[in-house]
């Protein structure tokens, strides 16, 4: 599990890491949080004492730690907050702005090869049926491994859209299956072959 963290509220109930409204805080969650919240308001301080918000926040971090969750921080200060709350150093990475896989090394279990995910669509290719989105999804997913498209397309589809689909199929014959004119009797069998049914239509009536 990878969890990205980028807001102060994941550690500070006051939201700004300003201890007692006077100085920067090191981010360690504990008795100082109970005291600090009274500096923001009596109501906030009492609410924390009654509902134990700071204790529950620390318990949540500890639960993530025990479960082996790997936290990706977008800045070094967040890494320091996690370490200050005894989060294992090996479960924390810092990647600024965006996830770059070559800078993140997480031990991966060897997984057995599984059957491809079968994504299906049944209907005409036309603008109102969302053919542009369908073709975009197919083009994007054929780049990745493990996805196969099973498409039931009737003859009365838009010719230009059908030509685009056939071009994609010619480039990826094993990943794209086209079944023309699926009959009503055959629809049950068609749907049973699928893992996911894609409905890209953006017109409610369709």
């Amino acid at each position: 599990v990878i969890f990205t963290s980028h807001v102060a509220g994941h550690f500070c109930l006051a939201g700004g890491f300003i201890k007692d409204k006077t100085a920067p805080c090191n981010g360690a969650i504990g008795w100082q949080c109970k005291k600090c919240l009274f500096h923001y308001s009596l109501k906030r301080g009492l609410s924390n004492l009654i509902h134990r918000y700071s204790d529950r926040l620390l318990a949540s971090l500890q639960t993530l730690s025990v479960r082996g969750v790997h936290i990706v921080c977008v800045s070094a200060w967040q890494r320091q907050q996690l370490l200050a709350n005894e989060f294992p150093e090996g479960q924390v990475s810092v990647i600024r702005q965006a996830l770059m896989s070559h800078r993140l090394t997480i031990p991966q279990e060897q997984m057995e090869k599984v059957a491809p995910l079968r994504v299906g669509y049944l209907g005409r290719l036309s603008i109102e049926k969302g053919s542009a989105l369908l073709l975009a999804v197919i083009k994007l997913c054929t780049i990745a491994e493990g996805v196969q498209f099973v498409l039931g397309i009737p003859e009365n589809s838009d010719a230009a859209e059908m030509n685009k689909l056939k071009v994609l199929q010619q480039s990826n014959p094993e990943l794209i299956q086209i079944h023309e004119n699926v009959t009503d009797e055959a629809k049950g069998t068609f749907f049973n072959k699928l893992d996911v049914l894609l409905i890209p239509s953006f017109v409610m009536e369709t």
Side-chain angles (χ1 to χ4, degrees), residues 83-105:
L83 297 181
N85 289 288
E86 301 182 0
F87 208 90
E89 188 172 3
Q91 289 173 224
V92 184
S93 295
V94 177
I95 298 178
R96 294 174 175 82
Q97 303 304 322
L99 184 63
M100 296 174 286
S101 58
H102 67 282
R103 294 186 57 186
L104 176 61
T105 303

Side-chain angles (χ1 to χ4, degrees), residues 8-162:
H10 289 156
F11 308 96
C12 176
L13 292 173
F17 288 121
I18 305 299
K19 185 178 179 181
D20 301 334
K21 296 184 76 173
T22 58
C25 177
N26 65 3
I29 302 170
W31 64 268
Q32 66 270 23
C33 299
K34 299 178 175 65
K35 174 175 170 285
C36 175
L37 289 171
F38 276 101
H39 285 270
Y40 284 84
S41 74
L42 178 62
K43 180 180 178 181
R44 189 178 291 192
L46 287 174
S47 179
N48 179 57
L49 288 180
I50 294 170
H51 298 288
R52 301 176 60 247
Y53 290 133
S54 56
D55 294 336
R56 287 158 60 183
L57 181 59
L58 181 59
S60 296
L61 282 175
Q62 291 171 341
T63 299
L64 292 176
S65 170
V66 171
R67 290 182 178 177
V69 173
H70 194 107
I71 295 188
V72 178
C73 307
V74 297
S75 55
W77 66 262
Q78 287 198 303
R79 179 178 183 275
Q80 292 304 119
Q81 311 314 317
L82 287 166
L83 297 181
N85 289 288
E86 301 182 0
F87 208 90
E89 188 172 3
Q91 289 173 224
V92 184
S93 295
V94 177
I95 298 178
R96 294 174 175 82
Q97 303 304 322
L99 184 63
M100 296 174 286
S101 58
H102 67 282
R103 294 186 57 186
L104 176 61
T105 303
I106 301 175
Q108 299 287 337
E109 294 182 7
Q110 196 68 25
M111 297 184 66
E112 296 181 9
K113 191 173 182 179
V114 297
L117 181 72
R118 293 171 66 84
V119 179
Y121 170 78
L122 181 63
R124 291 183 296 109
L125 287 184
S126 63
I127 298 299
E128 67 274 10
K129 291 287 186 180
S131 59
L133 175 60
L134 175 66
L135 294 172
V137 168
I138 294 173
K139 185 175 182 180
L140 180 64
C141 289
T142 51
I143 300 172
E145 296 181 1
V147 180
Q148 188 177 63
F149 288 91
V150 182
L151 311 171
I153 311 292
E155 291 180 345
N156 61 341
S157 294
D158 183 279
E161 297 296 277
M162 192 66 184

